[in-house]
Amino acid sequence: MTTDNIRTYDVIVIGAGPVGENVADRTTAAGLSTVLVESELVGGDCSYWACEPSKALLRPALLRADAAHVPGIDPAVKNPLDVEAVLAHRDRMSADWSDDGQVEWVKSAGIELLRGHGRLTGEREVSVETPDGDTVRLRARHAVAVCTGSRADLPPLPGIEALKPWTGREATSARKAPRRLAVVGAGVVGVEMATAWQTLGSRVTLLAREEGLLPRMEPFAGELVTERLREAGADVRFDVSVVAAERAGDGEVRITLSDGDELVADEILFATGRAPRSEDIGLDTVGLVPGDWMATDDSLTVTAVPGDWLYAVGDVNRRALFTHQGKYQARIAGAVIVARARGERLETGRWAPHSGTADTDAVPGVVFTDPEIASVGLTVREAERTGRDVEVVDYEIGHLAGALQYRPDYRGKARILIDRDRQVVVGATFAGPGVGELLYSATVAITGEVPVERLWHAVPAFPTISEVWLRLLETRRDS
């Protein structure tokens, strides 16, 4: 059945994950009527299949690793984790895959929710196929924001559909620990899920096509994670890829590797990258290619579509594939949509509220492994590639009194990159237990372009791991 009436709103937002919710919240708060279109659960991947459930699986693993090295506690953590309790905690953190709470928030914010699959049908027009088979036509007075995110990008392996592999969704929502788990991929999802399921009792084999783990970060980060995974019993292999895999009649996955070796696992997880969720949202009706990333300028306006009405916010634009960056972009996009609706001239300067500069200048990220990895800004490799003249300063975090209080055998490293011309920090990487909490200070230093000489007057408390900032400055002075 098709409804011919067209519903008109100021703003249409396709995708009700954290990004879409934030765009809609900003525009609604400014007085623009907004409808939020969602085909799955309100709250998106982050709430149900990514950030929340993955960290719920990892927290017990990391807490146990810390406690096992603290005198007086370690005997109490020798027994295996209570897997059922960990999975129950994961379920609670994922709201048992119910979006009732998120829907209630949407209503309380004054945002209209329309469930169904939204597709662009032309300029400022969207068609929504609802779960009961109806088609609802929408028109926007001012803007349409595409916030559909990304999905797992599976490799073109023959027979992969019949293989029924895990992606990140299955890895974070599994009902039990597989006895043998093969993880394909050296990035964040691969190493985090290898860490979680190895601790929960799986025998993990981690297969990396690269020469090390976490290849986009400083090499020492991947080396420390590799060391701990192997100590925990995982089989970590480099320079190898899967050339064939099949699921046998007994459910086992039989895997052939590029080096000629063969593996048998109960499940195989492919953590080999992301692709945009844009293949079936009507991009062809506005001159774009279905399935492509949607390029934008710093106002999150889609550059290839004239008229300044179409926005791509979050993962789907490929600027920075992090939930926190997507929410940052949502605040920018919301401000831009409101300003244009009011006929205001945009302020597009470097630090203006209508310009998304943090997607390139200071993108923070934490990898919740043992040890934690936290990074923001440039790495040495990126600085060399872009021709930036930087000074590299390293310090062993385990030399700090605060680190030794954390773990007597603390292993970790800090690195900052200083722009020689401007004398400001342009990159920072920390590897070690608890370093995720160091990241915001580094992000502020980079984003605020704080002169290195001024950092001497930001005094860290003793004994904390944040004292590493002082030691980095002293190391630079004494070198």
Side-chain angles (χ1 to χ4, degrees), residues 48-252:
Y48 308 105
W49 298 288
C51 318
E52 296 286 357
S54 67
K55 303 316 169 276
L57 292 174
L58 285 158
R59 179 57 181 156
L62 302 184
L63 183 60
R64 179 190 183 191
D66 289 340
H69 294 79
V70 176
I73 297 180
D74 56 318
V77 295
K78 296 298 185 184
N79 293 328
L81 289 177
D82 184 335
V83 177
E84 288 189 8
V86 173
L87 296 183
H89 171 60
R90 184 271 318 273
D91 293 351
R92 287 191 296 272
M93 292 302 295
S94 302
D96 289 307
W97 291 275
S98 167
D99 63 1
D100 290 350
Q102 297 277 3
V103 171
E104 185 62 33
W105 175 85
V106 169
K107 292 179 179 178
S108 70
I111 304 164
E112 185 166 338
L113 174 65
L114 178 58
R115 291 192 183 271
H117 186 89
R119 295 179 181 89
L120 293 160
T121 55
E123 183 173 337
R124 295 185 175 88
E125 293 186 347
V126 174
S127 174
V128 180
E129 183 180 341
T130 67
D132 57 8
D134 285 350
T135 299
V136 180
R137 297 168 63 198
L138 307 176
R139 179 175 294 147
R141 296 186 185 91
H142 300 294
V144 176
V146 176
C147 309
T148 50
S150 64
R151 57 174 174 76
D153 188 17
L154 293 174
L157 196 67
I160 196 166
E161 295 83 6
L163 182 62
K164 296 182 179 179
W166 277 10
T167 66
R169 284 196 169 199
E170 290 77 20
T172 56
S173 61
R175 308 313 304 175
K176 63 179 182 179
R179 188 166 62 90
R180 299 160 299 182
L181 174 64
V183 179
V184 185
V188 175
V189 173
V191 297
E192 285 192 345
M193 289 299 94
T195 299
W197 289 109
Q198 178 69 36
T199 308
L200 290 171
S202 297
R203 190 163 74 246
V204 170
T205 301
L206 179 55
L207 306 170
R209 184 177 56 188
E210 298 83 356
E211 296 179 357
L213 301 183
L214 302 172
R216 295 185 179 180
M217 296 185 172
E218 299 287 9
F220 66 80
E223 291 166 4
L224 284 167
V225 172
T226 300
E227 180 182 317
R228 288 296 298 124
L229 278 171
R230 285 175 170 164
E231 288 178 2
D235 179 5
V236 183
R237 306 187 191 187
F238 300 121
D239 295 311
V240 67
S241 58
V242 175
V243 296
E246 63 176 359
R247 193 174 289 274
D250 58 5
E252 289 186 338

Side-chain angles (χ1 to χ4, degrees), residues 269-287:
L269 163 63
F270 283 101
T272 49
R274 306 291 294 176
R277 282 184 179 158
S278 65
E279 64 276 8
D280 188 23
I281 57 171
L283 292 190
D284 54 315
T285 67
V286 294

Side-chain angles (χ1 to χ4, degrees), residues 240-404:
V240 67
S241 58
V242 175
V243 296
E246 63 176 359
R247 193 174 289 274
D250 58 5
E252 289 186 338
V253 180
R254 296 171 184 173
I255 306 162
T256 304
L257 304 179
S258 56
D259 61 4
D261 201 0
E262 295 184 351
L263 292 176
V264 177
D266 297 287
E267 298 293 348
I268 181 169
L269 163 63
F270 283 101
T272 49
R274 306 291 294 176
R277 282 184 179 158
S278 65
E279 64 276 8
D280 188 23
I281 57 171
L283 292 190
D284 54 315
T285 67
V286 294
L288 302 177
V289 178
D292 273 5
W293 302 98
M294 301 175 68
T296 72
D297 59 21
D298 285 347
S299 70
L300 288 311
T301 307
V302 176
T303 53
V305 176
D308 293 342
W309 63 272
L310 183 61
Y311 299 79
V313 194
D315 279 13
V316 74
N317 62 33
R318 207 182 192 179
R319 293 170 66 93
L321 276 65
F322 291 99
T323 297
H324 46 274
Q325 291 300 124
K327 292 163 71 174
Y328 162 77
Q329 292 175 15
R331 296 190 289 272
I332 300 292
V336 171
I337 292 169
V338 170
R340 283 177 171 157
R342 292 173 175 172
E344 299 173 2
R345 188 174 69 85
L346 294 185
E347 300 174 15
T348 55
R350 181 171 172 77
W351 305 116
H354 306 125
S355 183
T357 59
D359 290 335
T360 54
D361 293 342
V363 178
V366 179
V367 188
F368 292 88
T369 47
D370 179 22
E372 275 185 354
I373 309 297
S375 68
V376 60
L378 297 176
T379 62
V380 172
R381 186 184 300 111
E382 290 167 344
E384 292 173 346
R385 180 176 54 83
T386 56
R388 299 283 288 274
D389 184 13
V390 297
E391 179 182 354
V392 181
V393 185
D394 291 340
Y395 189 80
E396 295 294 330
I397 301 177
H399 294 165
L400 298 171
L404 296 177

